[in-house]
């Protein structure tokens, strides 16, 4: 499942406007802001998940991805900057 996160028309971040109960098909409408982590693209979400699953070890992530520590550290810093901006 790939959740669309930006407007195809103007590139602004999308909000959630409708949710459906998979059991009884009840539909709920509103204008809800996505949680910060869901505003990341799929690759960035995978990065956060893999950071968590490697117990927060950038060294371990670099090893598993076959990248150098500084490369992985830069990816981390870029993502920290992006999330900091999304939170503001
Ligand atoms: Zn229901």
């Amino acid at each position: 499942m790939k959740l669309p996160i930006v407007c195809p028309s103007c590139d602004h971040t999308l909000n959630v406007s409708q949710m459906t109960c998979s059991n009884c098909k009840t539909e709920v409408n509103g204008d809800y802001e996505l949680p910060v982590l869901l505003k990341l693209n799929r690759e960035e979400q995978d990065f956060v998940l893999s950071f968590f699953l490697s117990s927060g070890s950038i060294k371990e992530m670099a090893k598993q991805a076959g990248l150098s520590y500084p490369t992985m550290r830069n990816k981390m810093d870029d993502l920290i900057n992006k999330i900091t901006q999304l939170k503001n």
Side-chain angles (χ1 to χ4, degrees):
M1 195 275 298
K2 192 174 188 298
L3 185 70
I5 51 175
V6 292
C7 173
S9 181
C10 77
D11 286 341
H12 193 271
T13 305
L14 292 172
N15 282 0
V16 176
S17 67
Q18 183 166 323
M19 287 180 280
T20 308
C21 175
S22 60
N23 182 46
C24 71
K25 307 305 176 196
T26 293
E27 292 178 351
V28 181
N29 286 284
D31 184 13
Y32 306 103
E33 197 178 340
L34 284 168
V36 168
L37 289 176
L38 290 184
K39 291 181 184 175
L40 302 176
N41 65 38
R42 188 58 187 266
E43 190 185 338
E44 292 162 342
Q45 289 180 31
D46 287 346
F47 185 95
V48 172
L49 189 59
S50 116
F51 180 65
F52 177 76
L53 291 174
S54 60
S55 299
S57 168
I58 296 173
K59 189 179 169 185
E60 179 61 27
M61 280 178 72
K63 191 174 133 192
Q64 286 185 12
L67 298 171
S68 72
Y69 179 88
T71 300
M72 191 56 81
R73 181 69 243 182
N74 284 338
K75 281 173 170 282
M76 176 66 72
D77 288 341
D78 288 346
L79 192 50
I80 288 170
N81 286 334
K82 179 169 181 179
I83 290 176
T84 302
Q85 283 174 12
L86 284 173
K87 276 169 64 74
N88 294 334

